[in-house]
Amino acid sequence: MDPNPGVLNALPKTIRFRPPSETQRAVVDLLDQTCLPNQVTRLECFDVDTLHDAIVRLVVRGAPAIGVAAAYGVLLAEVQEDASLDERVRAYRIAADRLATSRPTAVNLFWALDAMRSGIDRFLREEAHGNAPDPAKGTALQTRLVEIATQIDREEAGRCQAIGEHGAAYLDRLVATDSVRILTHCNAGALATTGIGTALAPVYCLHQQGRSVEVIADETRPLLQGARLTAWELATAGVSVTVCTDSMAAQVLSQRKIDAVIVGADRIAANGDVANKIGTYGLAVAAKHHGVPFLVAAPISTFDSNIATGDLIPIEQRSEKEIRQPDRSANAWTPREADVMNPAFDVTPAGLIQAIVTQLGVIERPTELSVATHLNSAANRSI
């Protein structure tokens, strides 16, 4: 499916990649999301450590975008132009292992790096009996990995579009009126992917169809991804958006007509439990209490069949400075004597989720069986 051109043309591209050549090294060029909304600037990453740091610092963020950035990042491994095949393989594998340590929760990171590792393994099997000179094989491997990373990028955009179309069709069944009001948390839009997003993809599709769509964006403390990123992204794309603080969300659900809550996901367990940005669980509880459908939008790559339940999903613990000094100034927001906790994610039980929307369709009332059935259908289709 073709990506939504209106949204993608309105917003700067999250990730750009310049492949290596005889005269220049590879570059992963990132939209620096730490500077939004006040400044639109980019960070060029020429080596693995710089990209690793960019992922940790949330220059690039959102599970799908992290995966794409990491796939390209393998090509940032430092190798000489005349390097042997063994030297290149060693450098690429070290790069993949290093990038895998950047963030622990977003499973797309590991999925993309595994795709690159599998590409290396397939190449080695194919070339085991070839007669080409060793440096030529190394160059051919480099070319193959560029193709794999580019394909991951391109297919990510297609998956986003499909999620948007399935999500928009599902909302059509839920909402009888021409106007739709959505509450969302964190940022799961174009900035978090290389397409039109996951949670925001249905919004963009409805908007393109001429529907009246309004989004209420949770501020999303402590790093304000909703206030800084979702609000900026939607406003730039011409979609009506209002920001509320996280502590206002339950009140908004009780007093304003919210048609659905839609969020993204960083990892989904085999039973349908969903890890997403901290604050999602509380929002799901409030939505359940007020009878508002709670939807999750994510590609198949976000599911982790090796994790039985959400209790087993590793939760990233981030720096206490994000709580003590969120504005990055010398002014502390908490006394030194107080301890600080800063989990980046929480887990929403499947029982609170009305539906999970993927590029293949909708899993209503997710259970271990319905998730497995959906993933098995994915295994037999091109995704």
Side-chain angles (χ1 to χ4, degrees):
M1 300 181 184
D2 293 332
N4 187 312
V7 175
L8 297 180
N9 290 338
L11 297 168
K13 192 167 177 58
T14 304
I15 303 169
R16 297 172 180 161
F17 176 67
R18 187 182 73 204
S21 68
E22 293 182 0
T23 59
Q24 57 188 7
R25 296 187 61 183
V27 178
V28 179
D29 179 355
L30 305 173
L31 176 67
D32 190 341
Q33 297 186 39
T34 67
C35 298
L36 291 173
N38 297 314
Q39 185 179 11
V40 179
T41 187
R42 306 193 70 88
L43 173 68
E44 290 187 335
C45 301
F46 294 91
D47 56 72
V48 173
D49 284 343
T50 302
L51 180 59
H52 183 281
D53 178 67
I55 295 173
V56 171
R57 291 193 299 110
L58 309 183
V59 171
V60 60
R61 37 140 311 275
I66 290 172
V68 172
Y72 282 134
V74 173
L75 276 305
L76 298 181
E78 187 170 354
V79 292
Q80 299 299 319
E81 182 64 29
D82 59 351
S84 68
L85 178 60
D86 285 346
E87 289 170 335
R88 283 188 183 272
V89 167
R90 188 179 306 110
Y92 292 144
R93 284 179 171 159
I94 290 172
D97 291 345
R98 169 66 172 149
L99 290 167
T101 67
S102 57
R103 300 198 66 187
T105 303
V107 73
N108 304 63
L109 168 68
F110 309 104
W111 175 86
L113 290 173
D114 283 345
M116 298 296 281
R117 293 187 183 104
S118 295
I120 294 171
D121 293 339
R122 285 195 303 272
F123 182 89
L124 291 177
R125 288 195 297 270
E126 293 167 2
E127 296 296 323
H129 304 293
N131 296 319
D134 209 40
K137 288 183 179 181
T139 302
L141 172 59
Q142 175 183 274
T143 300
R144 177 75 62 85
L145 293 181
V146 169
E147 292 171 352
I148 294 171
T150 303
Q151 182 177 1
I152 291 172
D153 186 350
R154 182 174 59 251
E155 290 182 350
E156 190 63 60
R159 285 190 282 266
C160 289
Q161 182 66 26
I163 289 170
E165 292 173 2
H166 287 303
Y170 190 71
L171 287 170
D172 274 337
R173 299 199 297 272
L174 289 180
V175 184
T177 60
D178 288 337
S179 61
V180 182
R181 182 175 289 151
I182 301 296
L183 178 62
T184 192
H185 188 73
C186 195
N187 174 264
L191 294 175
T193 68
T194 56
I196 60 172
T198 54
L200 294 188
V203 170
Y204 288 131
C205 286
L206 290 173
H207 179 70
Q208 190 176 45
Q209 294 168 12
R211 296 284 292 275
S212 174
V213 186
E214 179 186 359
V215 176
I216 310 297
D218 270 0
E219 185 183 36
T220 319
R221 294 182 179 235
L223 297 179
L224 309 180
Q225 293 96 327
R228 293 189 305 105
L229 305 180
T230 295
W232 177 83
E233 175 181 327
L234 289 168
T236 301
V239 177
S240 176
V241 58
T242 301
V243 175
C244 71
T245 68
D246 295 4
S247 57
M248 297 175 187
Q251 181 75 355
V252 169
L253 287 166
S254 73
Q255 292 197 342
R256 301 192 68 179
K257 177 64 175 72
I258 301 297
D259 294 300
V261 176
I262 308 180
V263 300
D266 286 82
R267 190 180 298 216
I268 302 176
N271 71 336
D273 292 348
V274 170
N276 193 50
K277 183 55 57 183
I278 190 73
T280 301
Y281 176 35
L283 186 59
V285 171
K288 183 76 169 182
H289 179 76
H290 293 291
V292 177
F294 186 89
L295 313 180
V296 175
I300 294 297
S301 56
T302 304
F303 288 78
D304 188 350
S305 299
N306 296 317
I307 298 287
T309 69
D311 293 338
L312 301 175
I313 296 175
I315 300 299
E316 177 183 3
Q317 302 292 325
R318 293 187 61 82
S319 169
E320 65 179 32
K321 291 182 180 179
E322 294 176 350
I323 305 293
R324 295 190 187 278
Q325 297 169 292
D327 59 355
R328 302 183 185 181
S329 70
N331 300 318
W333 287 24
T334 62
R336 288 193 301 273
E337 296 78 8
D339 290 333
V340 169
M341 61 176 66
N342 189 18
F345 305 94
D346 56 27
V347 175
T348 299
L352 296 176
I353 299 168
Q354 175 161 323
I356 300 175
V357 183
T358 78
Q359 69 265 35
L360 297 183
V362 178
I363 311 171
E364 286 199 284
R365 305 296 179 190
T367 63
E368 183 177 1
L369 177 59
S370 64
V371 168
T373 300
H374 195 80
L375 295 181
N376 286 338
S377 71
N380 296 318
R381 297 172 60 177
S382 175
I383 57 171

